[in-house]
Amino acid sequence: MRIAIIGGGAAGMITAYLLDQVHEITVFERQPLLGGNIRTLGGNVDCPALPPGVALDCGVIEFSPEHFVKLHRLFADLGVETRPVPAATGFIQGDGRHYLSLGKLATSRMPLRRRVAATLRLLGLGPALARFRRRAARADPEALYDTSLGDFLRDTRARGLGLGLGATREAAFHEWLRLLLVYAYSIPRAEIDATPATMTIPTLLRFTGDVSWTSVVGGIYRYIAAITERLRGEVITGVDVEAIRRDADGVELRRRGAAPERFDKVVLAATPEQVLRLLTDPSDAERRRFAAWRGNDAVVQIHTDAGMYRRRGIVDYSEFDVFAAPPGYNAHLNRLCGLPSAAYGDPGAVDYHFSYNLESEVDPAALIHTQRHRTPGYTVAALASRPEIVATNGDNHTYFAGAWLGDGLHEGAVTSALAVSERLGGRLL
Ligand SMILES: Cc1cc2nc3c(=O)[nH]c(=O)nc-3n(C[C@H](O)[C@H](O)[C@H](O)COP(=O)(O)OP(=O)(O)OC[C@H]3O[C@@H](n4cnc5c(N)ncnc54)[C@H](O)[C@@H]3O)c2cc1C
C-alpha cells in the first residue's frame, strides 16, 4: 500500500521504519529537520556556538531502561548505543531553601554539616513520599481517566495533620512532584493540576522510584539518523500538509504548492490538536474524539549561566533541578550528554544548561540557543477519548501515532508506532 505519514517526529519516523519493508511510505514533515522534539545540537540542529564534535541533547534526553523497554529494543535493532547516566533532581523553593534527592546528596560538595542537615530535611519528606507511592501504586490507570492530578494529590493528603509540620512537608513534596511534571511535559506550572492523573501518576511513580536512566551515545538524534539511512521510502521535510480527505478507496492529501496526492492509508503522527484542522471530512465520532485537544507551546533556552544557583548560594546542581519561583526547571546537561564538566572537576570544561521558564534568570550573554516545541496540552477532557481512538485506530483509512497515545514520552511514541504497524502488517520489534 501507499502510506502517507504526517509528522517526522519519533512516532512518525518509527512508524515509517516499521512499515517500510512492507509498504511504500512517504513521510511529510513540516519543519526543515526531522525528529520533532528530538533536538541534538550538533546533530539535527546546527549550533555554531558549540565546539565541533560536541553533541548536546536539549529536547528529548533520557530514558529508563526498566520502563522504556520497547524503545531500548528499537535502539538494539538499530545498533544505537546507550550509556547509563546519573539523573538526580533537586527542588529549590521560593525562599531559596532547597531539597536534594538522595542520588545528589551522595556526591554533594557541601560541607559535612550542611549535608547532614540536607539529608535530615529530605528524610522529613519520607512519610509524604510513602503515602503518595502507596496510593499511586494501588491506583488503576483506567479508573484515573476521570481524575486530574490536582484531585489526586488533594485526596492523597494525610488527614488530621492540620497546619502542622507534616502538612508543610507534604505541601513541599507535592510541589516538587508538580514541578517534576513541568519538566517531564514542558507544561506551565499553572496547568499541571489539570493534567490527567492516568498519564501523570505513572510518570511520577517512576520518577520517585528506584529507576536507572540512559541516554544515547553521540546524541538522541543518532537513532533518527539510523532510521533515515535504512529507509527505502521517501522523506519530505519543510512541507506543511494542509488537508486530508478520505473516500471509499483511500486518502487524498493536499500540501501547499503541490497537486493533490493519493494514498491508500494515512498515519497522523502530528500533535492531536491538529487532527480536526487537517481532516476536511471528519465524522461525528472523530469530531467528538478530538474536539477537546489543544496544543501547548514551550520555549527552552540552552546556556552556560549557573547564576540561578550562585544567587541562591547553592553549590550542587542536579541533572534536573526544579524551581518554585519562577516555576520552571534547569537541566545540567554535561553528564547526561557524556561531556566533561567543570562542576565535576574537569578543568577547562564548559558547563551547559537547559532551562524552561527561567528566562529572567539567564544572562542573555550566556545564551547559546533558544528552541520552540509544540506539544499536546494534556487535560482530563482531551484524554477522555483516547481509549476510543486506540480502539478505532485505522477506521476511515486513518491511523494515529504519537506519544500522547501512551505515556506522553518516548515509550508512548514507540508503543503507538508498533500498534499502527501491527494493524498494517508491518514489522514488530
Ligand atoms: C523539551 C522537551 C523535552 C523532552 N524530553 C523527553 C525525554 O527526555 N524523554 C522522553 O521520553 N520524552 C521527552 N519529551 C517528550 C517527547 O515529546 C516525546 O518523547 C516524543 O519525542 C514525542 O514524539 P511524537 O512523534 O509523538 O511528537 P513530535 O515530536 O511532536 O512529532 C510530531 C511531528 O509532526 C510534525 N508536524 C506537525 N504538524 C504537521 C503538519 N501539518 N504537516 C507535517 N508535519 C507536521 C511536527 O513538526 C513534528 O516534527 C520531551 C519533550 C519536550 C518538549
Side-chain angles (χ1 to χ4, degrees):
M1 288 187 280
R2 289 197 75 212
I3 299 182
I5 298 175
I6 318 301
M13 291 306 288
I14 300 167
T15 305
Y17 177 59
L18 297 173
L19 296 180
D20 191 52
Q21 297 300 317
V22 188
H23 299 295
E24 196 182 313
I25 60 111
T26 308
V27 178
F28 297 93
E29 167 54 49
R30 168 188 280 171
Q31 300 189 63
L33 51 88
L34 290 173
N37 293 323
I38 290 172
R39 311 284 170 89
T40 305
L41 302 192
N44 58 338
V45 181
D46 285 338
C47 183
L50 277 186
V54 170
L56 206 58
D57 280 331
C58 40
V60 179
I61 305 175
E62 90 294 347
F63 317 98
S64 143
E66 293 92 340
H67 297 284
F68 290 59
V69 174
K70 294 174 191 132
L71 178 65
H72 281 77
R73 233 183 277 150
L74 174 73
F75 288 157
D77 192 68
L78 289 166
V80 167
E81 197 187 338
T82 60
R83 70 177 146 234
V85 287
T89 167
F91 170 36
I92 293 130
Q93 292 179 294
D95 59 8
R97 292 188 310 153
H98 69 291
Y99 290 95
L100 292 180
S101 63
L102 273 181
K104 191 66 209 174
L105 280 167
T107 59
S108 170
R109 293 174 293 160
M110 279 191 288
L112 183 64
R113 198 172 46 81
R114 282 185 62 197
R115 194 143 33 116
V116 170
T119 307
L120 291 175
R121 273 194 96 205
L122 183 69
L123 292 178
L125 301 185
L129 167 69
R131 204 161 28 250
F132 168 76
R133 287 190 56 80
R134 226 178 10 251
R135 183 148 184 264
R138 273 203 309 256
D140 169 8
E142 298 303 316
L144 288 181
Y145 261 99
D146 294 334
T147 310
S148 68
L149 178 88
D151 289 344
F152 185 91
L153 291 182
R154 197 197 50 233
D155 295 347
T156 306
R157 280 203 303 252
R159 312 250 176 264
L161 282 177
L163 297 171
L165 189 59
T168 309
R169 286 177 174 158
E170 184 155 59
F173 175 66
H174 285 184
E175 193 54 20
W176 195 347
L177 293 182
R178 289 182 171 98
L179 290 164
L180 282 171
L181 293 173
V182 170
Y183 156 66
Y185 296 108
S186 299
I187 288 178
R189 165 65 185 86
E191 288 164 32
I192 287 297
D193 274 3
T195 58
T198 194
M199 177 178 277
T200 47
I201 290 300
T203 299
L204 286 176
L205 204 48
R206 266 184 243 150
F207 282 6
T208 56
D210 185 17
V211 284
S212 53
W213 296 92
T214 56
S215 67
V216 173
V217 175
I220 170 76
Y221 181 67
R222 279 267 166 102
Y223 96 83
I224 298 290
I227 288 178
T228 315
E229 279 160 25
R230 287 165 174 75
L231 276 189
R232 297 176 317 151
E234 195 179 4
V235 176
I236 308 174
T237 54
V239 288
D240 208 349
V241 172
E242 290 183 324
I244 294 164
R245 193 175 61 78
R246 287 82 44 89
D247 54 36
D249 299 327
V251 178
E252 184 185 271
L253 183 146
R254 266 193 288 118
R255 54 178 160 126
R256 203 169 302 147
E261 292 157 272
R262 295 260 347 149
F263 292 89
D264 297 299
K265 307 282 177 195
V266 64
V267 181
L268 282 161
T271 40
E273 84 286 357
Q274 294 198 60
V275 169
L276 293 182
R277 186 182 69 74
L278 287 168
L279 298 178
T280 58
D281 53 358
S283 65
D284 289 346
E286 285 170 336
R287 258 189 245 280
R288 183 170 39 75
R289 289 171 197 149
F290 288 96
W293 280 102
R294 302 283 176 270
N296 170 59
D297 290 304
V299 178
V300 295
Q301 295 185 311
I302 295 85
H303 60 89
T304 56
D305 181 14
M308 61 193 71
Y309 297 102
R310 241 184 356 260
R311 283 189 290 281
R312 292 171 170 87
I314 297 172
V315 293
D316 295 298
Y317 22 100
S318 313
E319 279 65 40
F320 302 104
D321 281 317
V322 295
F323 290 73
Y329 65 77
N330 185 70
H332 178 225
L333 291 173
N334 290 54
R335 296 206 299 171
L336 291 168
C337 298
L339 299 172
S341 158
Y344 287 89
D346 298 317
V350 177
D351 282 298
Y352 296 104
H353 301 269
F354 164 66
S355 298
Y356 169 81
N357 200 35
L358 296 181
E359 286 82 356
S360 58
E361 301 263 351
V362 175
D363 176 1
L367 196 59
I368 61 171
H369 186 70
T370 299
Q371 66 195 20
R372 283 161 212 290
H373 297 264
R374 178 85 167 162
T375 64
Y378 293 115
T379 60
V380 172
L383 223 69
S385 56
R386 190 172 67 175
E388 209 179 312
I389 295 169
V390 170
T392 57
N393 211 354
D395 283 7
N396 275 339
H397 307 294
T398 309
Y399 296 76
F400 299 96
W404 58 277
L405 286 159
D407 58 4
L409 302 171
H410 241 65
E411 187 70 358
V414 187
T415 305
S416 72
L418 281 163
V420 170
S421 183
E422 189 173 12
R423 288 185 178 218
L424 285 167
R427 275 190 66 204
L428 301 175
L429 295 167

